[in-house]
């Protein structure tokens, strides 16, 4: 069945800084994702705190929000059949050390915090995250 979905992807500061934007977009395109919307922005820490609110009780929350707001990021809406799970698979495990061969985090991730990409983890969160960055 063709379950067309949209998901939010972020190329994080560590990857933008290393000029990996085009290589990572190419990996999405090869897997059949369409990039419907994209913009390169730098966000305030307060916005990162809102975006990552689900993690506010975690020990890494403060560093995570400092990090996401530390430099330019590329936010994108990706579309394909089963895009949410497909993107999670293509990204690989949160810790690049555990990420499978052929995944973005295996190829480009530096560490668990500098892991190059973000992707929505559910239909509900994809909607919330797309609205967060692209609400007109
Ligand atoms: N993170 C971290 N330390 C940890 C776990 C997560 O710095 O021990 C960061 C990492 O950048 C991760 C983000 O917090 O991508 C969000 O964590 P989540 O568990 O949602 O991982 P993801 O969905 O990005 O794979
Ligand atoms: Mg997550």
């Amino acid at each position: 069945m063709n379950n067309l979905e949209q998901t939010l992807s972020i190329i994080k500061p560590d990857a933008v800084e290393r000029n990996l934007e085009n290589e990572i977009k190419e990996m999405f395109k090869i897997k059949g994702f369409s990039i419907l919307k994209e913009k390169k922005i730098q966000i305030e820490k307060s916005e990162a705190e809102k975006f990552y609110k689900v993690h506010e009780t975690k020990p890494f929350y403060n560093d995570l929000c400092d990090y996401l707001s530390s430099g330019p990021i590329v936010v994108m809406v990706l579309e394909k059949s089963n895009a949410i799970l497909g993107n999670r698979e293509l990204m690989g495990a949160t810790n690049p050390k555990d990420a499978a061969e052929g995944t973005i985090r295996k190829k480009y991730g530096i560490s668990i915090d500098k892991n190059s990409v973000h992707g929505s983890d559910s239909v509900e969160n994809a909607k919330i995250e797309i609205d967060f960055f692209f609400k007109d």
Side-chain angles (χ1 to χ4, degrees):
M1 218 185 74
N2 179 32
N3 178 40
L4 196 64
E5 288 177 345
Q6 295 180 359
T7 190
L8 185 90
S9 169
I10 304 179
I11 303 177
K12 292 182 175 182
D14 67 274
V16 175
E17 190 177 83
R18 287 176 288 150
N19 288 312
L20 296 171
E21 181 182 337
N22 288 335
E23 276 107 307
I24 290 173
K25 282 185 195 162
E26 201 48 39
M27 289 180 79
F28 288 126
K29 288 177 195 162
I30 287 167
K31 286 284 177 184
F33 290 92
S34 303
I35 301 173
L36 298 187
K37 296 181 183 175
E38 63 172 290
K39 58 184 178 183
K40 188 185 276 184
I41 54 175
Q42 183 162 357
I43 61 173
E44 299 290 336
K45 186 175 181 186
S46 59
E47 295 175 276
E49 287 168 346
K50 247 188 252 171
F51 182 74
Y52 274 131
K53 194 157 175 45
V54 8
H55 292 304
E56 73 183 329
T57 61
K58 310 270 173 66
F60 57 83
Y61 179 64
N62 187 55
D63 286 347
L64 175 61
C65 296
D66 274 334
Y67 168 64
L68 194 71
S69 57
S70 67
I73 58 175
V74 178
V75 290
M76 297 173 286
V77 177
L78 304 181
E79 184 178 78
K80 77 172 228 179
S81 179
N82 300 314
I84 295 161
L85 186 60
N87 182 35
R88 297 291 308 188
E89 284 174 0
L90 179 57
M91 286 164 56
T94 305
N95 190 338
K97 282 188 195 142
D98 303 327
E101 279 308 325
T103 64
I104 296 171
R105 284 168 165 170
K106 172 73 177 183
K107 201 161 176 201
Y108 298 121
I110 297 169
S111 57
I112 191 162
D113 47 323
K114 296 186 172 174
N115 59 7
S116 302
V117 280
H118 167 85
S120 308
D121 63 5
S122 65
V123 172
E124 189 193 359
N125 285 334
K127 286 202 177 78
I128 293 169
E129 292 180 356
I130 290 168
D131 269 6
F132 185 90
F133 284 108
F134 291 101
K135 192 137 197 144
D136 310 309

